[in-house]
Tab-separated table of all heavy atoms in Angstrom:
chain	number	residue	atom	x	y	z
A	1	TYR	N	-32.357	-37.812	19.135
A	1	TYR	CA	-31.686	-38.555	20.199
A	1	TYR	C	-30.550	-39.409	19.665
A	1	TYR	O	-29.548	-39.597	20.357
A	1	TYR	CB	-32.699	-39.403	20.966
A	1	TYR	CG	-33.813	-38.555	21.534
A	1	TYR	CD1	-35.131	-38.744	21.140
A	1	TYR	CD2	-33.539	-37.535	22.443
A	1	TYR	CE1	-36.154	-37.953	21.640
A	1	TYR	CE2	-34.555	-36.742	22.946
A	1	TYR	CZ	-35.857	-36.957	22.540
A	1	TYR	OH	-36.855	-36.165	23.037
A	2	VAL	N	-30.669	-39.891	18.455
A	2	VAL	CA	-29.594	-40.689	17.865
A	2	VAL	C	-28.331	-39.836	17.741
A	2	VAL	O	-27.233	-40.266	18.111
A	2	VAL	CB	-30.014	-41.278	16.502
A	2	VAL	CG1	-28.835	-41.925	15.798
A	2	VAL	CG2	-31.148	-42.276	16.680
A	3	ALA	N	-28.477	-38.610	17.231
A	3	ALA	CA	-27.319	-37.720	17.095
A	3	ALA	C	-26.745	-37.372	18.468
A	3	ALA	O	-25.524	-37.362	18.647
A	3	ALA	CB	-27.705	-36.452	16.342
A	4	ALA	N	-27.611	-37.086	19.433
A	4	ALA	CA	-27.137	-36.745	20.773
A	4	ALA	C	-26.344	-37.905	21.373
A	4	ALA	O	-25.238	-37.708	21.896
A	4	ALA	CB	-28.316	-36.388	21.677
A	5	ILE	N	-26.880	-39.106	21.283
A	5	ILE	CA	-26.204	-40.284	21.833
A	5	ILE	C	-24.862	-40.494	21.139
A	5	ILE	O	-23.835	-40.714	21.784
A	5	ILE	CB	-27.097	-41.539	21.696
A	5	ILE	CG1	-28.337	-41.405	22.584
A	5	ILE	CG2	-26.312	-42.803	22.031
A	5	ILE	CD1	-29.454	-42.391	22.256
A	6	THR	N	-24.865	-40.404	19.815
A	6	THR	CA	-23.642	-40.621	19.037
A	6	THR	C	-22.566	-39.614	19.409
A	6	THR	O	-21.410	-39.979	19.645
A	6	THR	CB	-23.955	-40.542	17.530
A	6	THR	OG1	-24.950	-41.522	17.217
A	6	THR	CG2	-22.718	-40.778	16.695
A	7	HIS	N	-22.935	-38.341	19.489
A	7	HIS	CA	-21.949	-37.306	19.814
A	7	HIS	C	-21.443	-37.443	21.244
A	7	HIS	O	-20.258	-37.281	21.505
A	7	HIS	CB	-22.532	-35.911	19.574
A	7	HIS	CG	-22.688	-35.574	18.123
A	7	HIS	ND1	-21.629	-35.438	17.263
A	7	HIS	CD2	-23.794	-35.356	17.383
A	7	HIS	CE1	-22.061	-35.150	16.055
A	7	HIS	NE2	-23.378	-35.094	16.100
A	8	TRP	N	-22.343	-37.719	22.168
A	8	TRP	CA	-21.915	-37.850	23.567
A	8	TRP	C	-21.051	-39.086	23.769
A	8	TRP	O	-20.120	-39.068	24.560
A	8	TRP	CB	-23.111	-37.846	24.495
A	8	TRP	CG	-23.722	-36.487	24.636
A	8	TRP	CD1	-23.126	-35.281	24.412
A	8	TRP	CD2	-25.054	-36.191	25.039
A	8	TRP	NE1	-24.012	-34.261	24.641
A	8	TRP	CE2	-25.202	-34.796	25.025
A	8	TRP	CE3	-26.136	-36.978	25.388
A	8	TRP	CZ2	-26.387	-34.170	25.374
A	8	TRP	CZ3	-27.314	-36.357	25.734
A	8	TRP	CH2	-27.437	-34.963	25.730
A	9	GLN	N	-21.348	-40.178	23.054
A	9	GLN	CA	-20.492	-41.356	23.152
A	9	GLN	C	-19.101	-41.042	22.610
A	9	GLN	O	-18.099	-41.475	23.169
A	9	GLN	CB	-21.102	-42.543	22.408
A	9	GLN	CG	-22.254	-43.177	23.143
A	9	GLN	CD	-22.897	-44.324	22.376
A	9	GLN	OE1	-22.765	-44.433	21.159
A	9	GLN	NE2	-23.608	-45.160	23.095
A	10	LYS	N	-19.049	-40.275	21.541
A	10	LYS	CA	-17.752	-39.874	20.983
A	10	LYS	C	-17.010	-39.004	21.989
A	10	LYS	O	-15.808	-39.174	22.199
A	10	LYS	CB	-17.942	-39.132	19.664
A	10	LYS	CG	-16.644	-38.756	19.003
A	10	LYS	CD	-16.874	-38.126	17.649
A	10	LYS	CE	-15.540	-37.799	16.990
A	10	LYS	NZ	-15.720	-37.234	15.663
A	11	LEU	N	-17.722	-38.090	22.622
A	11	LEU	CA	-17.113	-37.233	23.626
A	11	LEU	C	-16.528	-38.065	24.764
A	11	LEU	O	-15.383	-37.858	25.183
A	11	LEU	CB	-18.137	-36.241	24.181
A	11	LEU	CG	-17.700	-35.368	25.351
A	11	LEU	CD1	-16.508	-34.499	24.979
A	11	LEU	CD2	-18.860	-34.524	25.837
A	12	VAL	N	-17.289	-39.039	25.259
A	12	VAL	CA	-16.818	-39.899	26.351
A	12	VAL	C	-15.555	-40.644	25.923
A	12	VAL	O	-14.632	-40.806	26.712
A	12	VAL	CB	-17.926	-40.870	26.802
A	12	VAL	CG1	-17.375	-41.966	27.701
A	12	VAL	CG2	-19.038	-40.115	27.520
A	13	SER	N	-15.491	-41.063	24.661
A	13	SER	CA	-14.318	-41.804	24.193
A	13	SER	C	-13.071	-40.932	24.152
A	13	SER	O	-11.958	-41.441	24.159
A	13	SER	CB	-14.580	-42.420	22.817
A	13	SER	OG	-14.518	-41.437	21.798
A	14	LEU	N	-13.249	-39.609	24.118
A	14	LEU	CA	-12.113	-38.693	24.068
A	14	LEU	C	-11.650	-38.238	25.447
A	14	LEU	O	-10.577	-37.653	25.577
A	14	LEU	CB	-12.482	-37.462	23.226
A	14	LEU	CG	-12.790	-37.729	21.763
A	14	LEU	CD1	-13.351	-36.478	21.104
A	14	LEU	CD2	-11.549	-38.214	21.028
A	15	LEU	N	-12.451	-38.494	26.456
A	15	LEU	CA	-12.134	-38.031	27.807
A	15	LEU	C	-11.443	-39.124	28.611
A	15	LEU	O	-11.710	-40.306	28.414
A	15	LEU	CB	-13.421	-37.612	28.527
A	15	LEU	CG	-14.160	-36.416	27.954
A	15	LEU	CD1	-15.518	-36.258	28.626
A	15	LEU	CD2	-13.337	-35.152	28.109
A	16	PRO	N	-10.589	-38.727	29.548
A	16	PRO	CA	-10.004	-39.735	30.438
A	16	PRO	C	-11.100	-40.313	31.334
A	16	PRO	O	-12.050	-39.617	31.690
A	16	PRO	CB	-8.976	-38.948	31.251
A	16	PRO	CG	-9.331	-37.518	31.091
A	16	PRO	CD	-10.101	-37.382	29.820
A	17	PRO	N	-10.998	-41.590	31.702
A	17	PRO	CA	-12.044	-42.236	32.499
A	17	PRO	C	-12.301	-41.559	33.842
A	17	PRO	O	-13.401	-41.654	34.381
A	17	PRO	CB	-11.524	-43.657	32.713
A	17	PRO	CG	-10.409	-43.837	31.754
A	17	PRO	CD	-9.917	-42.492	31.355
A	18	ASP	N	-11.314	-40.851	34.378
A	18	ASP	CA	-11.489	-40.205	35.677
A	18	ASP	C	-11.916	-38.737	35.547
A	18	ASP	O	-11.892	-37.991	36.525
A	18	ASP	CB	-10.212	-40.307	36.501
A	18	ASP	CG	-9.020	-39.625	35.833
A	18	ASP	OD1	-9.096	-39.326	34.618
A	18	ASP	OD2	-8.003	-39.397	36.515
A	19	TYR	N	-12.354	-38.324	34.355
A	19	TYR	CA	-12.797	-36.942	34.146
A	19	TYR	C	-13.944	-36.630	35.102
A	19	TYR	O	-14.878	-37.419	35.249
A	19	TYR	CB	-13.233	-36.755	32.686
A	19	TYR	CG	-13.625	-35.344	32.359
A	19	TYR	CD1	-12.679	-34.347	32.275
A	19	TYR	CD2	-14.950	-35.003	32.150
A	19	TYR	CE1	-13.022	-33.046	31.978
A	19	TYR	CE2	-15.323	-33.705	31.859
A	19	TYR	CZ	-14.344	-32.733	31.773
A	19	TYR	OH	-14.701	-31.433	31.494
A	20	GLN	N	-13.881	-35.490	35.749
A	20	GLN	CA	-14.815	-35.174	36.842
A	20	GLN	C	-16.281	-35.092	36.424
A	20	GLN	O	-17.169	-35.358	37.230
A	20	GLN	CB	-14.406	-33.882	37.536
A	20	GLN	CG	-14.535	-32.637	36.662
A	20	GLN	CD	-14.091	-31.377	37.372
A	20	GLN	OE1	-13.605	-31.429	38.483
A	20	GLN	NE2	-14.252	-30.245	36.722
A	21	ASP	N	-16.582	-34.762	35.183
A	21	ASP	CA	-17.966	-34.616	34.749
A	21	ASP	C	-18.441	-35.764	33.857
A	21	ASP	O	-19.497	-35.668	33.228
A	21	ASP	CB	-18.157	-33.288	34.003
A	21	ASP	CG	-18.011	-32.089	34.922
A	21	ASP	OD1	-18.372	-32.213	36.111
A	21	ASP	OD2	-17.527	-31.038	34.458
A	22	ILE	N	-17.684	-36.840	33.803
A	22	ILE	CA	-18.032	-37.925	32.883
A	22	ILE	C	-19.368	-38.572	33.253
A	22	ILE	O	-20.123	-38.987	32.382
A	22	ILE	CB	-16.896	-38.960	32.766
A	22	ILE	CG1	-17.009	-39.695	31.434
A	22	ILE	CG2	-16.881	-39.918	33.947
A	22	ILE	CD1	-15.724	-40.348	30.991
A	23	GLN	N	-19.688	-38.628	34.535
A	23	GLN	CA	-20.961	-39.228	34.939
A	23	GLN	C	-22.133	-38.404	34.420
A	23	GLN	O	-23.155	-38.956	34.012
A	23	GLN	CB	-21.050	-39.380	36.464
A	23	GLN	CG	-22.296	-40.135	36.910
A	23	GLN	CD	-22.413	-41.517	36.275
A	23	GLN	OE1	-21.474	-42.300	36.316
A	23	GLN	NE2	-23.559	-41.823	35.684
A	24	MET	N	-21.983	-37.087	34.389
A	24	MET	CA	-23.031	-36.221	33.862
A	24	MET	C	-23.281	-36.526	32.382
A	24	MET	O	-24.423	-36.568	31.926
A	24	MET	CB	-22.638	-34.757	34.038
A	24	MET	CG	-23.651	-33.772	33.516
A	24	MET	SD	-23.210	-32.049	33.810
A	24	MET	CE	-21.732	-31.892	32.825
A	25	ILE	N	-22.217	-36.791	31.637
A	25	ILE	CA	-22.355	-37.114	30.218
A	25	ILE	C	-23.034	-38.470	30.060
A	25	ILE	O	-23.929	-38.646	29.232
A	25	ILE	CB	-20.987	-37.079	29.516
A	25	ILE	CG1	-20.368	-35.684	29.657
A	25	ILE	CG2	-21.120	-37.469	28.044
A	25	ILE	CD1	-18.901	-35.622	29.320
A	26	HIS	N	-22.632	-39.447	30.878
A	26	HIS	CA	-23.277	-40.766	30.840
A	26	HIS	C	-24.771	-40.650	31.182
A	26	HIS	O	-25.602	-41.326	30.571
A	26	HIS	CB	-22.595	-41.742	31.811
A	26	HIS	CG	-21.307	-42.300	31.296
A	26	HIS	ND1	-21.227	-43.125	30.203
A	26	HIS	CD2	-20.043	-42.147	31.737
A	26	HIS	CE1	-19.967	-43.462	29.993
A	26	HIS	NE2	-19.221	-42.879	30.912
A	27	ASP	N	-25.097	-39.787	32.135
A	27	ASP	CA	-26.506	-39.579	32.484
A	27	ASP	C	-27.284	-39.014	31.300
A	27	ASP	O	-28.427	-39.408	31.046
A	27	ASP	CB	-26.636	-38.649	33.696
A	27	ASP	CG	-26.111	-39.265	34.987
A	27	ASP	OD1	-25.901	-40.505	35.030
A	27	ASP	OD2	-25.893	-38.498	35.956
A	28	GLY	N	-26.675	-38.090	30.568
A	28	GLY	CA	-27.310	-37.534	29.375
A	28	GLY	C	-27.518	-38.590	28.308
A	28	GLY	O	-28.565	-38.632	27.650
A	29	ILE	N	-26.529	-39.466	28.127
A	29	ILE	CA	-26.656	-40.561	27.160
A	29	ILE	C	-27.816	-41.470	27.553
A	29	ILE	O	-28.648	-41.832	26.718
A	29	ILE	CB	-25.337	-41.365	27.075
A	29	ILE	CG1	-24.231	-40.519	26.428
A	29	ILE	CG2	-25.541	-42.668	26.293
A	29	ILE	CD1	-22.839	-41.117	26.533
A	30	ASN	N	-27.883	-41.826	28.831
A	30	ASN	CA	-28.954	-42.708	29.299
A	30	ASN	C	-30.327	-42.070	29.133
A	30	ASN	O	-31.288	-42.735	28.745
A	30	ASN	CB	-28.716	-43.115	30.752
A	30	ASN	CG	-27.519	-44.034	30.888
A	30	ASN	OD1	-27.143	-44.742	29.972
A	30	ASN	ND2	-26.891	-44.010	32.052
A	31	GLN	N	-30.415	-40.774	29.414
A	31	GLN	CA	-31.694	-40.086	29.256
A	31	GLN	C	-32.108	-40.054	27.785
A	31	GLN	O	-33.271	-40.303	27.447
A	31	GLN	CB	-31.607	-38.673	29.811
A	31	GLN	CG	-32.930	-37.938	29.762
A	31	GLN	CD	-32.833	-36.532	30.335
A	31	GLN	OE1	-31.784	-35.895	30.302
A	31	GLN	NE2	-33.933	-36.046	30.863
A	32	ALA	N	-31.154	-39.772	26.897
A	32	ALA	CA	-31.462	-39.751	25.468
A	32	ALA	C	-31.888	-41.137	24.995
A	32	ALA	O	-32.798	-41.271	24.165
A	32	ALA	CB	-30.248	-39.264	24.679
A	33	LYS	N	-31.266	-42.192	25.527
A	33	LYS	CA	-31.657	-43.559	25.171
A	33	LYS	C	-33.087	-43.851	25.630
A	33	LYS	O	-33.852	-44.498	24.914
A	33	LYS	CB	-30.695	-44.571	25.783
A	33	LYS	CG	-29.349	-44.623	25.075
A	33	LYS	CD	-28.444	-45.648	25.732
A	33	LYS	CE	-27.139	-45.783	24.989
A	33	LYS	NZ	-26.263	-46.810	25.581
A	34	GLU	N	-33.434	-43.368	26.818
A	34	GLU	CA	-34.807	-43.569	27.318
A	34	GLU	C	-35.817	-42.860	26.421
A	34	GLU	O	-36.854	-43.427	26.066
A	34	GLU	CB	-34.924	-43.058	28.753
A	34	GLU	CG	-34.200	-43.909	29.771
A	34	GLU	CD	-34.196	-43.299	31.163
A	34	GLU	OE1	-34.963	-42.334	31.413
A	34	GLU	OE2	-33.420	-43.772	32.007
A	35	PHE	N	-35.525	-41.609	26.055
A	35	PHE	CA	-36.429	-40.858	25.182
A	35	PHE	C	-36.537	-41.527	23.814
A	35	PHE	O	-37.620	-41.607	23.243
A	35	PHE	CB	-35.964	-39.415	25.021
A	35	PHE	CG	-36.125	-38.569	26.256
A	35	PHE	CD1	-35.278	-37.498	26.478
A	35	PHE	CD2	-37.112	-38.823	27.193
A	35	PHE	CE1	-35.420	-36.701	27.607
A	35	PHE	CE2	-37.260	-38.038	28.325
A	35	PHE	CZ	-36.411	-36.969	28.528
A	36	LEU	N	-35.404	-42.002	23.281
A	36	LEU	CA	-35.415	-42.668	21.989
A	36	LEU	C	-36.258	-43.940	22.043
A	36	LEU	O	-37.043	-44.207	21.133
A	36	LEU	CB	-33.983	-42.992	21.552
A	36	LEU	CG	-33.820	-43.708	20.215
A	36	LEU	CD1	-34.427	-42.887	19.078
A	36	LEU	CD2	-32.353	-44.001	19.948
A	37	ALA	N	-36.119	-44.703	23.112
A	37	ALA	CA	-36.866	-45.959	23.250
A	37	ALA	C	-38.374	-45.717	23.294
A	37	ALA	O	-39.154	-46.588	22.902
A	37	ALA	CB	-36.419	-46.704	24.503
A	38	MET	N	-38.803	-44.532	23.731
A	38	MET	CA	-40.227	-44.219	23.814
A	38	MET	C	-40.816	-43.802	22.461
A	38	MET	O	-42.025	-43.776	22.297
A	38	MET	CB	-40.475	-43.113	24.845
A	38	MET	CG	-40.259	-43.578	26.266
A	38	MET	SD	-40.752	-42.353	27.500
A	38	MET	CE	-39.419	-41.181	27.420
A	39	GLN	N	-39.958	-43.451	21.496
A	39	GLN	CA	-40.440	-43.050	20.177
A	39	GLN	C	-40.805	-44.280	19.347
A	39	GLN	O	-40.263	-45.367	19.562
A	39	GLN	CB	-39.352	-42.282	19.422
A	39	GLN	CG	-39.081	-40.910	19.941
A	39	GLN	CD	-38.033	-40.195	19.092
A	39	GLN	OE1	-37.215	-40.805	18.428
A	39	GLN	NE2	-38.080	-38.874	19.128
A	40	LYS	N	-41.683	-44.073	18.388
A	40	LYS	CA	-42.041	-45.156	17.476
A	40	LYS	C	-40.793	-45.568	16.695
A	40	LYS	O	-40.131	-44.731	16.084
A	40	LYS	CB	-43.137	-44.701	16.517
A	40	LYS	CG	-43.589	-45.787	15.592
A	40	LYS	CD	-44.737	-45.351	14.721
A	40	LYS	CE	-45.167	-46.505	13.846
A	40	LYS	NZ	-46.317	-46.142	13.023
A	41	GLY	N	-40.455	-46.838	16.754
A	41	GLY	CA	-39.270	-47.361	16.071
A	41	GLY	C	-37.976	-47.070	16.807
A	41	GLY	O	-36.895	-47.404	16.326
A	42	GLY	N	-38.077	-46.449	17.957
A	42	GLY	CA	-36.887	-46.057	18.712
A	42	GLY	C	-36.074	-47.221	19.231
A	42	GLY	O	-34.844	-47.159	19.254
A	43	LYS	N	-36.753	-48.284	19.640
A	43	LYS	CA	-36.015	-49.439	20.160
A	43	LYS	C	-35.151	-50.073	19.075
A	43	LYS	O	-34.039	-50.523	19.346
A	43	LYS	CB	-36.976	-50.462	20.768
A	43	LYS	CG	-37.594	-49.966	22.061
A	43	LYS	CD	-38.512	-50.981	22.687
A	43	LYS	CE	-39.126	-50.378	23.946
A	43	LYS	NZ	-40.078	-51.250	24.581
A	44	GLN	N	-35.647	-50.082	17.845
A	44	GLN	CA	-34.854	-50.611	16.740
A	44	GLN	C	-33.654	-49.708	16.460
A	44	GLN	O	-32.550	-50.197	16.210
A	44	GLN	CB	-35.705	-50.757	15.467
A	44	GLN	CG	-36.760	-51.848	15.547
A	44	GLN	CD	-38.023	-51.409	16.307
A	44	GLN	OE1	-38.202	-50.253	16.646
A	44	GLN	NE2	-38.891	-52.371	16.587
A	45	MET	N	-33.866	-48.393	16.485
A	45	MET	CA	-32.751	-47.463	16.275
A	45	MET	C	-31.715	-47.607	17.383
A	45	MET	O	-30.512	-47.579	17.135
A	45	MET	CB	-33.257	-46.017	16.201
A	45	MET	CG	-33.987	-45.687	14.922
A	45	MET	SD	-34.368	-43.928	14.796
A	45	MET	CE	-35.863	-43.837	15.748
A	46	LEU	N	-32.196	-47.780	18.597
A	46	LEU	CA	-31.309	-47.934	19.748
A	46	LEU	C	-30.445	-49.186	19.596
A	46	LEU	O	-29.251	-49.155	19.903
A	46	LEU	CB	-32.155	-48.014	21.022
A	46	LEU	CG	-31.467	-47.805	22.351
A	46	LEU	CD1	-30.710	-46.494	22.407
A	46	LEU	CD2	-32.496	-47.848	23.474
A	47	ALA	N	-31.037	-50.251	19.092
A	47	ALA	CA	-30.293	-51.503	18.911
A	47	ALA	C	-29.201	-51.366	17.854
A	47	ALA	O	-28.218	-52.112	17.883
A	47	ALA	CB	-31.250	-52.624	18.526
A	48	GLN	N	-29.338	-50.407	16.943
A	48	GLN	CA	-28.353	-50.233	15.873
A	48	GLN	C	-27.209	-49.302	16.261
A	48	GLN	O	-26.214	-49.228	15.554
A	48	GLN	CB	-29.041	-49.700	14.616
A	48	GLN	CG	-30.012	-50.694	14.023
A	48	GLN	CD	-30.788	-50.116	12.866
A	48	GLN	OE1	-30.621	-48.955	12.487
A	48	GLN	NE2	-31.660	-50.921	12.272
């Protein structure tokens, strides 16, 4: 999930803010953050 979040955040930074599918990418980031937070030590990784 750390790699997924990192790559998707990089992708969002390369897209224009009005890109039609940007919300879908943000949803994926949020879902990966939720899954990461549920893992042992995930909240600490998320904070970093």
Side-chain angles (χ1 to χ4, degrees):
Y1 303 118
V2 171
I5 293 165
T6 302
H7 288 295
W8 286 337
Q9 285 178 339
K10 183 175 182 178
L11 174 60
V12 167
S13 76
L14 297 171
L15 295 171
D18 61 345
Y19 183 71
Q20 67 181 5
D21 292 328
I22 204 159
Q23 186 56 51
M24 180 177 64
I25 301 165
H26 282 294
D27 292 345
I29 291 169
N30 291 334
Q31 184 179 28
K33 286 180 176 182
E34 289 173 13
F35 289 152
L36 179 59
M38 290 187 284
Q39 288 183 336
K40 182 176 182 178
K43 290 182 182 177
Q44 291 80 9
M45 287 187 277
L46 196 55
Q48 294 174 0

